[in-house]
Amino acid sequence: MSKPSDLLQGTLDLLILRTLALKPMHGWAIAARIQQTSQEVFQVTQGALYPALHRLEQQGWLRAEWRKTETGRDAKFYTLTRSGRAQLEKELAQWERLSSAVGLVIRMAED
Amino acid sequence: MLYPERWLDVALLRLRSLLRRSSVERDLDRELQFHLDQETEENVRLGLSPSAARSAALHRMGGVAQVQEECRDARRTHYIENFLRDLQYAGRALVKSPVFAFAAIATLTLGIGANTAIFQLLDAVRLRSLPVAEPHRLAQIDIPNLNFGILEYPDNLSYTLFQQIRDHQQAFSGVFAWNSGYSTLRIGRGAETRRVSALEVTGEFFSTLGIPPAAGRLLRPEDDVRGCPAPGVVLSYSFWQAEFGGNRSAIGSRLTVQDHPLEIVGVTPVGFSGPEVGPHFDLALPLCSISVLSNGDMTAFERRDYSWLNVMGRLKPGWTLTQASDHLRAISPGIIQATAPPGYSQNYLEHYLQSHLEAVAAATGVSRLREEYDRSLWLLLGLTGLVLLIACANVSNLMLARAGAREREFAVRLALGAGRGRLIRQTLTEGLLLATISATLGLALAACLSRAVLHFLEAGSNRLALDLTMDWRVLGITASVTVVICALLSLAPALRAVRGEPAEAMKLGARGLTAHRDGFRFQRLLVVVQVSISFMLAASAFLFVSSFRGLVTLDPGFRTQGILATTFELGKQEHDETVVRQLLEQVRATPQVESAAATTHFLIRSGMWSLILHTDAARRDSRFMWISPGFFATLGVPMLAGRDFSPNDGRTSPKVAIVNEIFAHIFFPGVNPIGKTFRTVKEPDYPEAEYEVVGLVKNTRYLALQAPEPPMAYIPGTQFPAGVTGNRIFVRSSTPLAAVETAIRRRIAAWRPATGMEFEGFQETIAQTLTRERLLAALSGFFGILAALLASVGLYGVLAYQTIRRRSEIGIRLALGATRGEIIQMVLKQAAVLVSFGLAIGVLGALAIGQSVASLLFGVSARDPLRLGAAAIALAAAAAIGCIVPARHAARLDPMNALRDE
């Protein structure tokens, strides 16, 4: 099981932004979603998730509001803002570059 | 890409985190709670029992408090929150030690307030630019070192010179002139008559300065033409407000000026008080109106030896001041040649012909006030600077003493895990709080103080238009200096605490047998500095106060008490010999008048007149006055030999003179001057003439109390070569002068109803000439007392702290048999060393800077040992008072108690 601290610095931000690009969600749903789509590789704990969410909100990339969930409970939903979307594009591009670079190095080492 | 809404979001979030802290915290709790609930439900769904599901969820979450803290950090407002908490803490700390808080705040307030006030005045007189368009492009045109003819002020030019400059120069886009020092005009009719200050300007004045009207129009070139068919009047903004309530209907109405109804054409903008700094004006008139208002008298415009105009120009684009000055110098010979006044002797004329024009920067306007008060204001600024310095030294001493007492507190807090940075921030906050409170109070003090000083300078009727609006730059500078100093000082103790090992500091605080020395070294230095600066302030107080006392008690050689200086305006009859003789008779016949005499000059108060004369022994200038018989009796000037003038000394009889001792000494050395003769050198209106000395009088002051007695010659008024004189009369009476004034007014009004009259108490007028000296004496006295007070408080602070730190040492000494007297002696001896060091340095400093204040002192040397000694004694006494309390306190220590505390 991979702990969040093992995630590359800033990767969690990327994952959150990418997840929220689909639709507004509350914190628990975000964590569940990441866990599910990564096929349980990433287990995001509260200790990492909420500071990250608050940080992203303070940067103006997310906007938060209280809404009712399907079960009728109050939850804090996060929405991606226009600037958040731009930030996601930027981080995605960076990630692509980084991962392909890492791939290159690894393959070369195999030769 | 920019997303403006993003910044708005961020700003709103930060604000919310700051202002609605509890609601933000609640939200966080709710959010985390929701997560926990979801997690629990999920676990239940996966088959765990409810309690197991909940504990699993809690376990996964880790420390709630930690998550919360991290979320708070994400808000990025904890710096501000901490600051606010520090501020609260600092406030509480100050309230808890009120004596310290009061001493520190009072000291700093005085320092900041006095500095700002004096700088404000200095700025208003000296540094501020004229409120006109592009003031730095303005230049004043004058002739350097011209001492020739009739000069209103040293930098004045004659009307012919102005015309020549205007017609021949190419460096300026416009040249204008105004009646230097402004004039006083009568407005209204009959009983409504009163006097206002008028600025008479050439037609290009307003357009060249670039001033827009507040209402109506300002004067134009076509207003100022020869003959002045229709002179219009422009009102100053304040006059418009005061007299017409700022009503626009004033424009176009008529104002009676010197009995001439003139049309009001406009109003100058608010804040424009004329090209001169200091004097204010109510009306602005075209220069040509001078001849109209004096019923066609063109003397001022025609006389080439009469310099009464200030001339300024605006530099053309691309011209520098130096280029303009060079240009003026180049065209000078022609202009000087063309404006040479006739009627002077060759010697005199050559001096004029050798002079040249120059241009000097005039962005800050011209100012007599500046010439008069410049040095004294700078000096005062220096003195207040010193006050601020000792104030800071004092506060830092207090802070160090306090910090020393808190060393243990810091140590405990460090030991309990307080962050070092946080500790430093907290002490800084405390310094900041002190400085902010003091700066705010200082602001209020400055406003009061500068107004008080202005009031002082205005003494009497002499209204000043100085712009004293609070200058934020000034306050900013003084306040930030204080803040920085305070911050640095408050830092020292925190750094000391942080540097050392907490355990060490705690031990020291608990059982230091003797105080460690390195902390004291700085404090001792501060005391020495403080005493030395205080000494300089005390010394200057003694010097200026005794200088002022010397002037006030000075015998000017004539009496001033019970003397009225009266001026009569007789209109067209002013130059009729019979009328002026009758005037004097009328005044003398008033029952309350004991004696009266006419004169061309009021001593000290009004101008001077010199002529060059020669005898066998000497050829040089002497002051001249034309007086009526009875002059010396009226003013109580003793006649030493010969006779007073008599009514027989008339226009056609042989010319006679009464001279003073210095005159006799210079022109007739070693012989009896009575019966001797001297010849004057010719000047316009004053043809060469021979006078016989018929009397000798004692010396008197002439133009200023401060200046030594000059050689003087008195001539009968009936022999005045330049027309008829006699409308200025000195009146002596032992009844109250107000009653005398009423009686004379009534009598003259019955005799000639249209006569204008002005009365001045001679003594008050002379006292007004000492405004500068009084101001210096009052303020330096105030600063001196302040300095002594601060020095004594400073010493008290240091010694009190030191005795607290040495409690156990003193306790042991007492236990081992030291007497209380010995303990007092020990403490005092230490203080005495510091004070003597301080005084020694102070004396050296006072001797070093003495030269620079010498010119502001009268009758006292800046290095006068008596005054310096007195200052030293006064300061030592103040210091002793500061020492005695802590010394006695130390001696009264109970050794048992002191040692048990360990």
Side-chain angles (χ1 to χ4, degrees), chain B residues 580-600:
Chain B
V580 294
R581 203 179 58 239
Q582 283 172 355
L583 172 71
L584 186 57
E585 283 163 8
Q586 287 291 331
V587 173
R588 279 178 174 163
T590 314
Q592 287 87 344
V593 173
E594 277 154 29
S595 100
T599 173
T600 42

Side-chain angles (χ1 to χ4, degrees), chain A residues 65-89:
Chain A
E65 60 186 329
W66 288 88
R67 277 197 225 161
K68 294 264 184 247
T69 63
E70 287 151 21
T71 56
R73 297 192 50 186
D74 277 330
K76 199 172 176 190
F77 277 78
Y78 291 88
T79 318
L80 203 59
T81 61
R82 234 158 37 99
S83 58
R85 210 167 280 283
Q87 179 66 18
L88 173 61
E89 301 288 327

Side-chain angles (χ1 to χ4, degrees), chain B residues 307-353:
Chain B
S307 300
W308 54 292
L309 294 172
N310 267 113
V311 181
M312 264 196 202
R314 181 176 285 284
L315 290 170
K316 277 182 185 166
W319 282 73
T320 66
L321 193 65
T322 326
Q323 287 169 337
S325 213
D326 290 344
H327 167 69
L328 285 176
R329 192 185 263 270
I331 62 170
S332 285
I335 292 180
I336 295 289
Q337 198 76 44
T339 56
Y344 280 97
S345 64
Q346 198 55 36
N347 270 353
Y348 241 155
L349 257 185
E350 263 161 29
H351 166 66
Y352 179 75
L353 290 173

Side-chain angles (χ1 to χ4, degrees), chain A residues 26 28 43-44 46-47 50-51 54 57-59 61 63 66 73-76 78 82-83 86, chain B residues 3 5-6 9-10 13-14 27 30-32 34-35 37-39 41-42 60-61 70 74-75:
Chain A
H26 49 72
W28 189 81
Q43 304 237 352
V44 186
Q46 287 189 55
Y50 286 98
H54 282 242
E57 186 193 359
Q58 293 290 342
Q59 303 269 18
W61 291 326
R63 199 172 292 148
W66 288 88
R73 297 192 50 186
D74 277 330
K76 199 172 176 190
Y78 291 88
R82 234 158 37 99
S83 58
Chain B
Y3 298 96
E5 78 270 12
R6 177 180 165 205
D9 278 353
V10 171
L13 275 171
R14 297 278 149 85
D27 274 4
R30 275 171 74 198
E31 191 177 18
L32 294 179
F34 172 77
H35 189 103
D37 293 349
Q38 288 287 15
E39 191 83 19
E41 272 173 39
E42 181 70 14
R60 246 192 83 134
M61 176 141 62
E70 275 187 55
R75 279 178 223 149

Side-chain angles (χ1 to χ4, degrees), chain B residues 695-722:
Chain B
L696 179 70
V697 290
K698 270 191 86 89
N699 295 328
T700 65
R701 304 273 151 165
Y702 180 73
L703 196 59
L705 287 182
Q706 295 90 323
E709 295 101 338
M712 283 183 72
Y714 303 87
I715 315 289
T718 47
Q719 295 179 352
F720 187 53

